Amino acid sequence: MGMIQEYQCPSCHETWRISTGHGRSHGTFERVLQVFPVNTQKKILDDAKGDPDPFFQFHYRLALCKTCHNIVSVPVFRFLDRGSVYMSGCPKCGSPVTIPEDQTPITCPKCSKSQLSAEEIGCWD
């Protein structure tokens, strides 16, 4: 089950609602592939080397986009036996994103003045 968190900047009052984790529909390799763009799907399939059910980990992760100055949720796929990692770009502008380390304070990407507060506001599946 995934979590929904709300991030808010105390300086500029910008707010983001971000869904992270994964749902029941992401339990199979085939379904996980569908959340990625076609070019990323091809790379993942090539790396799977014909294995129809590879050992993998999948989550939507919080990510920062320095181009459009947003906090977004991106799908991240990792082959557990190979270490290969694939993730999508920013869903708003398509630019590459960075994923902050867990529990690292996040500075507001809009105004850069304050650390964001975070509150868990729900779950999704």
Side-chain angles (χ1 to χ4, degrees):
M1 181 169 291
M3 290 187 343
I4 304 168
Q5 290 190 296
E6 184 172 88
Y7 293 85
Q8 185 170 27
C9 176
S11 296
C12 70
H13 306 290
E14 185 73 39
T15 301
W16 295 267
R17 285 190 177 177
I18 304 297
S19 297
T20 59
H22 62 274
R24 285 184 276 194
S25 67
H26 301 115
T28 67
F29 181 56
E30 184 178 271
R31 287 186 178 169
V32 167
L33 278 177
Q34 295 172 2
V35 304
F36 289 94
V38 173
N39 63 333
T40 305
Q41 288 180 26
K42 182 176 177 353
K43 291 175 186 176
I44 293 170
L45 285 168
D46 288 347
D47 201 8
K49 297 179 177 37
D51 186 349
D53 192 22
F55 196 41
F56 70 92
Q57 181 181 54
F58 171 81
H59 296 285
Y60 281 94
R61 298 280 310 266
L62 177 142
L64 303 171
C65 180
K66 293 182 180 182
T67 303
C68 69
H69 306 286
N70 273 298
I71 298 173
V72 295
S73 179
V74 296
V76 178
F77 179 97
R78 183 168 70 102
F79 282 106
L80 294 175
D81 57 345
R82 295 175 187 88
S84 306
V85 177
Y86 300 90
M87 67 180 177
S88 291
C90 177
K92 295 181 185 277
C93 73
S95 297
V97 296
T98 57
I99 295 178
E101 294 292 323
D102 290 338
Q103 307 302 320
T104 301
I106 299 170
T107 300
C108 179
K110 291 282 185 189
C111 72
S112 301
K113 293 181 181 176
S114 299
Q115 288 185 358
L116 302 178
S117 64
E119 178 183 1
E120 186 176 329
I121 60 170
C123 298
W124 68 274
D125 192 20

